[in-house]
Amino acid sequence: MRTRVAPSPTGAPHIGTAYIALFNYAFAKHHGGQFILRIEDTDQTRSTAASEQAILDALRWIGIPWDEGPDRGGAHAPYRQSARTDIYLEHVRKLTESGAAYPCFCTAARLAELRRSQAGTDNSGYDGCCATLDPAQAARRAAAGEPHVVRLRIPTDGECVMQDRLRGAIRIPWHKVDHQVLLKSDGYPTYHLANVVDDHLMGISHVIRGEEWLSSLPKHLLLYQAFQWQAPEFVHLPLLRNPDKSKLSKRRNPTSILYYQRAGFLPEALINYLGLLAYSFPDGREEFTLAQLAENFDIDRVSLGGPIFDLQKLRNFNGRYLRGLPPAELWHRLQDWLLRDEVWQQIVPLAQPRLSQMTDLVPQAAFLFADRLDYAPDQLIKTAPGGDAAALARLLKTAQWEMEKLPEWDNAAVRDLFNRLATVENLKLKQLMPPFYVAVTGAPVGLPAFDAMVQLGRDMTLRRLQYALETLETGGVALKGRQLKEFTAAYQAAYGSPA
RNA sequence: GCGCCCAUCGUCUAUCGGUCAGGACACCAGGUUUUCAUCCUGGGAAGAGGAGUUCGACUCUCCUUGGGCGUGCCA
């Protein structure tokens, strides 16, 4: 048995990645198999090396080990898709030669127009315009360098019958399946192609992934068939949800593993809690280790209802683990977290100019060791530039989006960000910063703002801005629904798309 | 709009045709504790609705409703 987790290195390491990894690991290890980590960086515009590193670090921190991966190699290396383009090209060639796939020369403009014309109708997806091109002629155009993609040819009628381990047989009419792009015009494969090729080549026996992939399964099955490969078994796990039941997103919840690390959660508590969502032991046991989960794991006991990620219960479990530690061990954990020399060596120089007694140090630095800060809505609102609380909410949102886009998180980057923000918003830095200062430190005065954010780290800073937005909501200032939608458009016009 | 998936306390879940529908988080009450927290005890709290199958349905089937995902040269 071989399973894998295949995260895309775009943005912060997602808690959902850990959740999927956990079940893949538990299943593989229960059966004495291997668990593989593969990086799916086929989106050249969004993938970053920093994000890949963060994913590896986060998975390592949470304690789910992989047998093969980009950092340690393995019999099926490389484990980074951007290093496997030759393999995909070769496979795409086979598909076009057999007619299972075809070149498509449609422009982005035509596709956009097509989508517009389909709005509100029963139809969606590519209209098959290039599917009927003469293969020889199309091949000549492609060879001549005409920009094109390669699409998967879908049967025109009948239905696809697929098997999901947890749901049984699922039927989807073929005419509802899109002629998926397999090879982009930049020469990189899409997820669908790379994923199938790699899963086969890497000997993956069970594909355990999020439910969001269920509707693409027909395409994947068709690819296995076109290559004449034995398809693996598929297991679609329920998606983690926000309290409002929508797919877990950073809009309403912290989704970065780095946030949980910084906020003082223990990896074993996080794993335990994640395992509790969608899985239950036959004996009703709720506290368990990764090894115990793997030992007892029975994939057929996975439940299908989309579980709401409940921070309250996570906190409760984290508390149990924390309180159960021998004091000496707890002290080690606290040191691993933030109570170590190198952290204080950064903080002390920042606090020094503001000291009159040594007792001033810890209170001034306390915000660095907290999660949610306690301040009243008014404390924040009174710092709003021009006294406009609604505008302040938009400012906080803008800052969040801009922070997410930052390639580096250091003093210069943060300073540049706020200077840019001040310029675009036509504010003096002095007017702009006070509310951010309250949001980040919970007080109107203290350590320098940019240093405070750098010390706090990006994920916790982002979280603090979120808390500020929530505080504004309790103060009657909400940025959501239609207003948020309109503001998002305005933001994009002024700053470009969010990350 | 269309396709697919899902449906037990507020939340996470147990139950695989016969249970007073169990546990955990949260909440409420009481107790232990110099405070607080911990801890202990107790309490309220659920099978979305409607048909069917069956001696008997939370459990099987169908419909309705609700929720989710998908509908990208993103994964």
Side-chain angles (χ1 to χ4, degrees):
Chain A
M1 303 281 190
R2 286 168 64 81
T3 64
R4 48 68 170 179
V5 68
S8 174
T10 54
H14 200 278
I15 195 77
T17 301
Y19 164 75
I20 299 292
L22 176 60
F23 285 93
N24 273 281
Y25 173 88
F27 180 80
K29 293 304 157 185
H30 180 78
H31 293 100
Q34 295 89 43
F35 168 62
I36 286 94
L37 172 62
R38 185 174 70 224
I39 297 294
E40 307 228 331
D41 57 348
T42 54
D43 185 341
Q44 285 300 286
T45 58
R46 297 198 309 148
S47 299
T48 66
S51 176
E52 176 184 320
Q53 189 57 49
I55 289 170
L56 264 61
D57 291 345
L59 247 23
R60 230 174 254 133
W61 172 74
I62 207 167
I64 301 173
W66 50 96
D67 297 293
E68 301 164 29
D71 58 322
R72 56 180 305 179
H76 305 279
Y79 292 88
R80 189 181 291 112
Q81 292 185 329
S82 58
R84 301 170 64 84
T85 47
D86 291 351
I87 298 173
Y88 308 125
L89 252 22
E90 172 62 17
H91 283 83
V92 166
R93 194 180 56 73
K94 286 183 191 164
L95 292 178
T96 48
E97 279 173 6
S98 72
Y102 61 89
C104 169
F105 303 91
C106 291
T107 61
R110 178 178 183 274
L111 296 177
E113 176 54 36
L114 178 63
R115 267 190 288 275
R116 257 196 303 283
S117 71
Q118 289 171 336
T121 73
D122 291 2
N123 301 322
S124 67
Y126 186 60
D127 60 0
C129 174
C130 293
T132 53
L133 259 31
D134 172 61
Q137 198 177 0
R140 270 197 300 280
R141 284 171 69 182
E146 186 172 341
H148 67 284
V149 300
V150 174
R151 288 181 184 272
L152 178 63
R153 194 183 298 279
I154 305 290
T156 49
D157 45 36
E159 61 179 11
C160 175
V161 181
M162 44 202 198
Q163 291 294 328
D164 175 90
R165 172 75 172 257
L166 302 174
R167 296 154 220 267
I170 299 170
R171 298 157 185 281
I172 296 183
W174 279 117
H175 73 270
K176 289 294 172 192
V177 180
D178 197 12
H179 289 210
Q180 185 64 51
V181 169
L182 300 176
L183 191 70
K184 302 181 251 186
S185 54
D186 66 0
Y188 279 84
T190 57
Y191 165 86
H192 304 278
L193 194 260
N195 178 265
V196 165
V197 169
D198 285 347
D199 282 345
H200 176 261
L201 261 25
M202 294 181 181
I204 301 303
S205 63
H206 296 258
V207 172
I208 303 172
R209 70 214 317 188
E211 194 180 359
E212 60 208 313
W213 296 111
L214 202 46
S215 48
S216 341
L217 185 51
K219 301 164 192 172
H220 302 165
L221 256 15
L222 199 57
L223 282 170
Y224 281 102
Q225 197 184 313
F227 287 123
Q228 296 184 299
W229 291 338
Q230 164 83 43
E233 188 161 359
F234 290 92
V235 185
H236 291 88
L237 262 22
L239 257 22
L240 260 26
R241 312 284 189 93
N242 294 312
D244 70 357
K245 296 271 188 187
S246 58
K247 173 167 145 181
L248 189 67
S249 67
K250 61 189 171 191
R251 269 265 267 283
R252 296 211 43 190
N253 268 290
T255 57
S256 168
I257 297 173
L258 268 18
Y259 159 77
Y260 292 93
Q261 181 176 21
R262 172 73 209 211
F265 288 92
L266 296 172
E268 57 267 47
L270 209 42
I271 282 195
N272 192 157
Y273 177 67
L274 250 16
L276 231 37
L277 303 174
Y279 191 71
S280 61
F281 280 69
D283 63 6
R285 166 171 23 151
E286 292 205 336
E287 291 186 29
F288 50 81
T289 63
L290 178 62
Q292 288 167 335
L293 179 65
E295 186 189 338
N296 288 276
F297 195 67
D298 172 4
I299 192 106
D300 296 310
R301 284 189 63 85
V302 170
S303 52
L304 294 178
I308 289 171
F309 191 87
D310 181 8
L311 270 170
Q312 292 266 40
K313 190 159 183 172
L314 204 213
R315 274 195 207 102
N316 177 278
F317 268 72
N318 198 56
R320 296 190 204 185
Y321 277 89
L322 237 23
R323 294 189 295 268
L325 255 23
E329 171 63 13
L330 174 58
W331 175 234
H332 282 304
R333 298 303 200 92
L334 286 165
Q335 287 176 304
D336 285 344
W337 176 58
L338 286 172
L339 301 188
R340 51 198 146 90
D341 275 0
E342 58 182 283
V343 174
W344 285 104
Q345 277 162 15
Q346 313 246 349
I347 299 171
V348 167
L350 299 174
Q352 193 170 15
R354 296 166 177 78
L355 299 182
S356 42
Q357 282 179 264
M358 288 189 235
T359 50
D360 298 332
L361 175 69
V362 169
Q364 280 193 31
F367 74 95
L368 292 169
F369 304 91
D371 185 359
R372 183 165 198 157
L373 268 10
D374 192 29
Y375 52 86
D378 281 352
Q379 282 179 270
L380 186 62
I381 291 172
K382 71 182 179 192
T383 62
D388 187 344
L392 173 54
R394 294 194 291 270
L395 232 35
L396 290 165
K397 197 78 227 175
T398 301
Q400 279 188 327
W401 282 328
E402 287 297 287
M403 285 176 178
E404 283 162 6
K405 287 199 283 198
L406 240 40
E408 300 293 331
W409 187 258
D410 54 33
N411 192 293
V414 174
R415 188 185 59 228
D416 289 351
L417 185 155
F418 279 96
N419 276 316
R420 192 165 65 247
L421 205 59
T423 305
V424 178
E425 302 297 332
N426 197 25
L427 291 167
K428 295 257 186 247
L429 204 54
K430 207 177 172 66
Q431 299 171 285
L432 176 65
M433 293 313 294
F436 286 96
Y437 200 79
V438 172
V440 168
T441 71
V445 295
L447 306 187
F450 302 149
D451 290 309
M453 294 184 200
V454 171
Q455 290 304 316
L456 216 41
R458 187 199 315 244
D459 298 279
M460 185 56 89
T461 301
L462 247 14
R463 183 67 176 151
R464 292 278 167 86
L465 298 191
Q466 192 59 35
Y467 283 137
L469 249 7
E470 287 172 19
T471 301
L472 284 182
E473 271 188 46
T474 66
V477 185
L479 178 60
K480 51 185 175 186
R482 198 172 58 88
Q483 285 177 318
L484 179 60
K485 215 171 167 183
E486 285 173 7
F487 175 61
T488 305
Y491 165 80
Q492 286 185 20
Y495 293 88
S497 301

